């Protein structure tokens, strides 16, 4: 939000500098993000003076140039060559002397230099208004009144004042400060001075010859609607003062009527809209909703389909304006407009916000309406605008003010105690100080006791509805910096569940990132096509698109989408991981579960001059999964074949009958849904179960053995129904003391094996912590393993 320093000073009497005002605004909660000096006219007419043309003769070597002698108050006339047809002796003109820079209305600035034109020296330039940014006309040079004092700087003659512009980062709750009046209120409250509102006492109704009936059909969306008619206006360019005032805050001048409505909007915070009264058919203004799908052409010449929930301003035949958001193409003010109907309303913030979002329209008016404007400002703003329009465009007020306000918005009633104020602020600041600040903030004290206050907060302070809100108001005006830092800090210790989720997540992130993985963060909204069972999917009632219509039930597809995006951009060797939640509907209850996923695809390592790249395999994802569990010290799990439809093959680790993690190769049907054409290996952890398992871990110290471990491998043929977990359990029962680890390092299933069979290759780590194992002892253990595996699992050892 942009605020003018000079404009602010029309509301308050203060000698504070722009920099001091900036500190005050930031201290009261209106953070000043930038403060810059601005000029209403680019360049500020620096170096330009008022001159008098003493002599003007035709140029000897040109049919259209003139050689002039111009007095600029230095005691010596300047010779200036001028090409304007209207230049003549005896004129008062604007002269740009040598060394000055002019800033044209269009085009780049240029410096004035001594020059020779067709053989005649020229020591400056006699200026047209568009050449110095004072207008758009280039019909000839500017001819000033005879009383213009020669030698006066043009900046002084045209009364150009430098200004300062504040860029304020307005928070959403401070709709009351979205104007110069609202900003001035905070400054006045801080400085404990009064505030000057514009004088509208001169407003009067000239006649009632053009009364337009207002009918409000939707009073809930339009609690207050005010309007009046002004006849006989002249639509033209705004006067210089009005254009300059708007230019400082970055508003482009359009015409005098529209500029006045913008002026009042930024002055008082009340949006206005001017209709061409001759376009209001039937002599009626209707505030209503139209049928779903009604086509309405807005001011930007775009045809928009209306929702039945959009509040509209219409006439007896058709819609004219989207209430509080955007005007229509037909009913706006044009150059030919002679009569206007001026609207000043208070619209329901929720209604405006939904309509603005629905049509993707963001305007200065909707910005204020959707945050909450002042319902008591509509008539005052009408009078202010009407007086300004009569000043810059003429016309007569030709109707009484129509003010439809069936249910006035009541002030917010708040009860507060001095003890609450002192307790929340952390300092006793005195009852008189508190009452002074409350009164300065336009909050009315309706009743007072020795311990408490009964307050009425004006409706425009939509963010002050509770006692704590009032305390915040008192504190920001009193000054946060005036609250001393306490010498004691009191704190209470709260027990929290260990380990903390974020701590574990950071540990795993460090582990994976250090091993070349990249973390991804995907949207929890996804497409229903990814759901295996739509009956259990959490559906969005009002989805933004068909691709974001359900909450995700798995992290698989978000990872595959990231893989597809990268592969389509020639980045095929990928390692991703993601922490996130999945959602489902079960027995009419919404359930969310924390998951942790890992993805690898492409080559395991980049191609080097001394080695070829190898594609990732099942054992790469298994190594990562085992590394994660080892890092978390989780080992008491069992191993089973994965039966997930989203995987073509894989295994799962079970913990107390629950699935801890499943991993393997993603099925082709799942890859096809995400447009991935290369093999992807995927691991899906139940992160909630991981955290539960960690809580039960106990750290046990064990000295590292001085004696070496021995590895032996066995390749065996087993039934497809036999899992690695069963084989591991048989092995650990066979040798409880010396057998330390059992792992699978190769799995084969194919047509080269007998039907119903598969091949497993297992590794066994054998170690005695007290002595070095002998070959005889090792062979004895392996023979027992071969016998028990064959007996209990039907394993046929392959030699």
């Amino acid at each position: 939000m942009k605020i003018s320093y000079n404009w602010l000073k029309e509301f308050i009497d203060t000698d504070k500098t722009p920099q001091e005002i900036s500190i005050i605004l930031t201290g009261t909660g209106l953070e000043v993000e930038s403060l810059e000096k601005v000029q209403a006219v680019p360049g500020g007419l620096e170096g330009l003076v008022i001159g008098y043309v003493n002599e003007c003769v035709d140029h000897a070597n040109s049919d259209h140039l003139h050689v002039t002698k111009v007095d600029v108050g230095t005691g010596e006339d300047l010779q200036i060559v001028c090409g304007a047809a209207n230049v003549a002796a005896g004129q008062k003109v604007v002269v740009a002397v040598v060394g000055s820079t002019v800033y044209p209305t269009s085009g780049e600035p240029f410096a004035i230099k001594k020059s020779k034109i067709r053989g005649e020296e020229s020591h400056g330039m006699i200026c047209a208004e568009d050449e110095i940014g004072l207008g758009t006309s280039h019909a000839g040079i500017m001819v000033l009144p005879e009383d213009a004092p020669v030698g006066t700087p043009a900046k002084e003659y045209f009364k150009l004042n430098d200004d300062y512009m504040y860029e304020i980062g307005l928070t959403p709750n401070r709709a009351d400060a979205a104007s110069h009046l609202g900003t001035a209120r905070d400054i006045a409250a801080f400085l404990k001075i009064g505030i000057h509102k514009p004088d509208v006492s001169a407003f009067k109704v000239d006649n009632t010859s053009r009364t337009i009936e207002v009918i409000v059909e939707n009073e809930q969306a339009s609690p207050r609607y005010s309007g009046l008619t002004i006849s006989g206006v002249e639509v033209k360019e705004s006067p210089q003062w009005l254009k300059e005032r708007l230019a400082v805050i970055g508003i482009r001048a359009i015409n005098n009527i529209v500029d006045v409505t913008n002026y009042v909007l930024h002055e008082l915070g009340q949006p206005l809209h001017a209709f061409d009264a001759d376009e209001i058919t039937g002599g009626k203004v209707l505030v209503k909703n139209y049928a779903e799908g009604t086509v309405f052409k807005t001011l930007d010449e775009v045809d928009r389909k209306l929702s039945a929930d959009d509040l509209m301003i219409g006439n007896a035949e058709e819609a004219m304006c989207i209430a509080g958001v955007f005007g229509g193409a037909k009913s706006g003010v044009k150059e030919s407009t002679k009569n206007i109907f001026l609207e000043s309303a208070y619209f329901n913030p929720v209604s405006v916000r939904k309509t603005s979002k629905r049509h993707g329209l963001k305007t200065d008016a909707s910005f204020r309406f959707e945050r909450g404007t002042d319902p008591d400002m509509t008539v005052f703003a009408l009078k202010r605008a009407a007086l300004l329009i009569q000043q810059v465009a003429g016309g007569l007020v030709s109707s009484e003010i129509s003010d439809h306000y069936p249910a006035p918005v009541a002030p917010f009633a708040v009860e507060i105690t001095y003890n609450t104020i002192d307790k929340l602020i952390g300092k006793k600041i005195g009852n008189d100080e508190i009452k002074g600040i409350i009164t300065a903030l336009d909050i009315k004290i309706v009743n007072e006791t020795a311990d408490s206050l009964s307050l009425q907060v004006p409706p425009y302070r939509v963010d002050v509805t509770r006692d704590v809100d009032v305390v915040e108001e008192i504190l920001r005006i009193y000054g946060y910096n005036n609250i001393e830092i306490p010498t004691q800090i009191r704190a209470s210790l709260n027990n929290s569940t260990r380990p903390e989720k974020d701590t574990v997540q950071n540990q795993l992130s460090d582990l994976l990132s250090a091993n070349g993985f990249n973390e991804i963060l995907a949207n929890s909204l996804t497409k229903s096509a990814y759901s295996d069972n739509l009956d259990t999917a959490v559906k969005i009632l009002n989805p933004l698109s068909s691709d974001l219509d359900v909450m995700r039930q798995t992290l698989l597809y978000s990872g595959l989408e990231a893989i597809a995006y990268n592969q389509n951009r020639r980045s095929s060797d990928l390692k991703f991981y993601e922490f996130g939640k999945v959602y489902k509907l079960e027995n009419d209850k919404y359930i969310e579960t924390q998951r942790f996923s890992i993805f690898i695809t492409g080559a395991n390592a980049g191609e080097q001059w001394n080695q070829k790249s190898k594609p990732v395999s099942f054992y790469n994802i298994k190594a990562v999964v085992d590394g994660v569990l080892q890092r978390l010290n989780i080992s008491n799990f069992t191993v089973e074949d994965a039966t997930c439809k989203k995987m073509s093959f894989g295994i799962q680790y079970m913990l107390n009958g629950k699935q801890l993690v499943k991993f393997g190769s993603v099925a082709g049907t799942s890859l096809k849904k995400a447009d991935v054409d290369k093999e992807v290996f995927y691991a899906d952890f139940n992160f909630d179960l991981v955290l539960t398992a960690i809580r039960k871990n106990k750290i046990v110290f064990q000295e590292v053995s001085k004696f070496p471990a021995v590895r032996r491998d066995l390749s065996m043929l087993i039934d497809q129904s036999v899992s690695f977990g069963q084989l591991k359990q048989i092995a650990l029962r066979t040798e409880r003391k010396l057998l330390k680890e059992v792992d699978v390092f190769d799995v084969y299933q194919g047509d080269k094996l007998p039907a119903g069979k598969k091949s497993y290759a297992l590794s066994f780590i054998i170690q005695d912590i007290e002595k070095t194992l002998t070959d005889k002892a090792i062979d004895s253990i392996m023979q027992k393993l071969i016998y028990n595996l064959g007996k209990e699992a039907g394993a046929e050892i392959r030699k």
Side-chain angles (χ1 to χ4, degrees), residues 552-671:
R552 62 182 177 181
Q553 295 176 284
T554 174
L555 301 186
L556 172 63
Y557 294 106
S558 57
L560 292 180
E561 286 180 344
I563 289 171
Y565 182 89
N566 282 272
Q567 287 182 344
N568 291 337
R569 287 156 181 79
R570 297 187 177 183
S571 179
S572 56
D573 301 334
L574 305 169
K575 294 180 178 181
F576 291 150
Y577 67 93
E578 181 182 12
F579 296 91
K581 292 182 178 180
V582 298
Y583 309 84
K584 66 177 179 179
L585 179 64
E586 191 174 279
N587 298 325
D588 295 329
K589 292 183 179 180
Y590 294 106
I591 299 173
E592 61 180 50
T593 308
Q594 189 76 33
R595 311 295 292 190
F596 167 46
S597 60
I598 301 174
F599 301 85
I600 55 175
T601 184
N604 187 38
E607 189 174 10
Q608 302 290 333
W609 66 270
N610 59 349
Q611 67 177 22
K612 294 183 179 180
S613 63
K614 296 181 179 179
V616 294
S617 65
F618 170 81
Y619 303 102
N620 295 118
I621 190 69
K622 183 179 184 300
V624 175
V625 170
D626 290 345
V628 167
L629 295 178
Q630 185 177 4
R631 176 66 180 83
L632 299 175
N633 195 27
I634 299 175
S635 59
N636 55 335
F637 53 82
T638 59
V639 183
E640 297 179 1
D641 289 335
T643 57
C644 178
K645 295 180 180 179
K646 298 181 181 65
M647 292 183 182
S648 56
F649 65 86
I651 60 178
Q652 59 188 12
Y653 292 166
M654 305 296 292
L655 185 64
N656 299 325
K658 296 180 180 179
Q659 186 186 79
L660 179 68
V661 58
K662 61 183 176 184
F663 57 93
S665 177
V666 179
T669 53
S670 297
L671 295 176

